[in-house]
Structures are given as structure tokens and as C-alpha cells.
Amino acid sequence: MSALAKVLSGPSSEENRRFQRVRVDVLGRFMLSDRREFPCQVVDMSPGGAAIVAPVVGKLGERVIAYLDHIGRIEGMIVRATETGFSMTIEASLRKRDKLADQLTWLANRQILGLPEDRRHERVIPRNPFTTITTPLGDKVPVRVLDISLSGAAIGGAEDLKPGDIVQISRTMARVVRILERGVAIEFSGQQPIEAILALGQELGADLKANAEPVMFAR
């Protein structure tokens, strides 16, 4: 077991958890036992469990499969409902837990140290920049796309958004990562087909290069 895995697997007397959780900020999607899928955000996680912000909560004991940016596929069961979503266990082999521990270390360090994203792509100025964004409250707001890449976009006109908000631009899921002078910067969720981002680029009149696609996690 890696050194980090040993640290993360230390007991927590306060919460009586087998694994100690770390705060993260990860987008993804999850599927309930009836095969319905919903977007989600992981706010803390360990190799043994995760706290999920989600629009829908399943039943206690229900099995869940989640596909998370930078992490990939996890599965387990719902053990607690919260005001904003639910907590789930993570069922994994020792080898998978070690890998999760390493991924969590990287995510935590990137957040603490302010490291740049590992995905960088050429930005393109769209010819047809006008579209809509669906806000966390479900409102559709007309916006102007200032530039776009396979990783994200700069958006003008979405003045009420704040970092961390999960939004939908056209049919593509994204997260607000920072405030700009004229709007916001968003990062596309990696847990969606690259074709969805290419289709958004085509809709906006932006020629995105598919051969520069981000790393995607397969089901």
C-alpha cells in the first residue's frame, strides 16, 4: 500500500470512518439502479467513500455507479442522504484503492497549490457566438461565447454565476472555474462524449480539432 493510502486509511474517531476523506471539487455523472443518469459534483472523497452533490437522491442502500473527471468509474451504495445530495461507499480492490489514493493526492495538491489544469487546447473564436446557458436554478440565460476550446470556454453575459456553479451550455455540461472581466470561464466535464463538445463547437461555428481531445474515462 502506498504511503498516502496508509494516511488516508487511518481511522477517524469523529466520524468512525475507515478512511479519512479529503476535500475535492470534481464533476461527473452517476447512474441509479433504474439506469437513470444525473450530473453530480464530488465535494469530499476517500478511497472508501464520497460525498456527492446531486439533483436527485436514491434510496438508502441503493447501488450507484459514478463516472468522475480525473478519476474514472467508481461504484458503491448510498449510505446517507444530505441536504444537497448523498454519501456513498466505494467498493474497490486494494489495488484500486491505492490508485484512488494517488489520484486524490494529485487533486488535493493541485487545489492547494493552485496548479494549472492538465488539459490545454487551442482556443477558437466562434463565428456564431450566441447561445444559452442553463444556470444551477434552471434559468436559461442568453450569452456570448468569447472563445472556446475542447477544455472549456470564456462566456460573456452570465453575470450572476460564481466559481463552482455547474451549468449547461447548449447540451454540454460544464463548471464555472473563475470570474472574468466580461463574464466567466467554464471547464467542460470530461465525463461526456467528445462528440458533444465537437457538436457545440460546430453549433457555434468554431472548428475544434478532435485529434487534440482530452483524456476521457471509458465506462
Side-chain angles (χ1 to χ4, degrees):
M1 179 180 291
S2 68
L4 174 69
K6 292 178 181 178
V7 172
L8 291 178
S9 62
S12 171
S13 58
E14 179 180 353
E15 300 189 60
N16 195 28
R17 289 180 178 143
R18 182 181 176 188
F19 299 98
Q20 184 177 357
R21 298 193 181 190
V22 295
R23 293 199 63 79
V24 294
D25 182 12
V26 176
L27 286 182
R29 69 184 191 276
F30 70 97
M31 181 172 67
L32 295 173
S33 57
D34 60 6
R35 304 192 69 81
R36 290 183 299 158
E37 292 193 17
F38 303 94
C40 66
Q41 179 181 10
V42 180
V43 292
D44 72 60
M45 188 175 182
S46 80
I52 308 287
V53 175
V56 172
V57 178
K59 301 176 182 178
L60 292 182
E62 183 172 1
R63 293 199 61 78
V64 176
I65 299 174
Y67 305 91
L68 307 176
D69 288 355
H70 309 295
I71 291 173
R73 183 182 190 273
I74 62 171
E75 59 182 298
M77 67 172 58
I78 297 174
V79 292
R80 184 182 306 109
T82 67
E83 292 183 359
T84 56
F86 60 90
S87 293
M88 64 175 286
T89 61
I90 296 177
E91 298 175 5
S93 65
L94 182 60
R95 181 178 179 182
K96 173 68 172 178
R97 291 191 195 279
D98 281 346
K99 182 180 179 181
L100 280 173
D102 291 338
Q103 291 170 314
L104 290 172
T105 296
W106 180 82
L107 287 169
N109 286 341
R110 190 190 70 179
Q111 184 171 321
I112 293 170
L113 300 176
L115 300 179
E117 289 293 320
D118 64 334
R119 297 182 291 185
R120 284 291 180 265
H121 299 106
E122 179 184 0
R123 293 181 177 273
V124 179
I125 297 176
R127 297 187 301 273
N128 308 309
F130 298 102
T131 186
T132 60
I133 271 189
T134 304
T135 71
L137 297 178
D139 298 325
K140 291 187 179 297
V141 178
V143 297
R144 180 186 179 96
V145 179
L146 306 176
D147 61 57
I148 184 173
S149 75
L150 287 172
S151 298
I155 306 296
E159 300 175 354
D160 294 332
L161 296 176
K162 60 184 183 301
D165 281 349
I166 298 175
V167 299
Q168 183 173 327
I169 175 170
S170 187
R171 294 172 296 278
T172 306
M173 297 302 299
R175 175 180 57 200
V176 177
V177 291
R178 61 183 177 276
I179 303 298
L180 305 176
E181 183 177 352
R182 294 183 292 167
V184 297
I186 62 173
E187 177 189 24
F188 296 135
S189 169
Q191 294 306 313
Q192 57 194 335
I194 187 65
E195 288 78 14
I197 300 175
L198 293 175
L200 174 62
Q202 185 176 19
E203 178 183 322
L204 297 171
D207 184 17
L208 303 178
K209 303 299 182 183
N211 59 1
E213 66 182 83
V215 175
M216 309 296 287
F217 298 102
R219 283 195 175 192

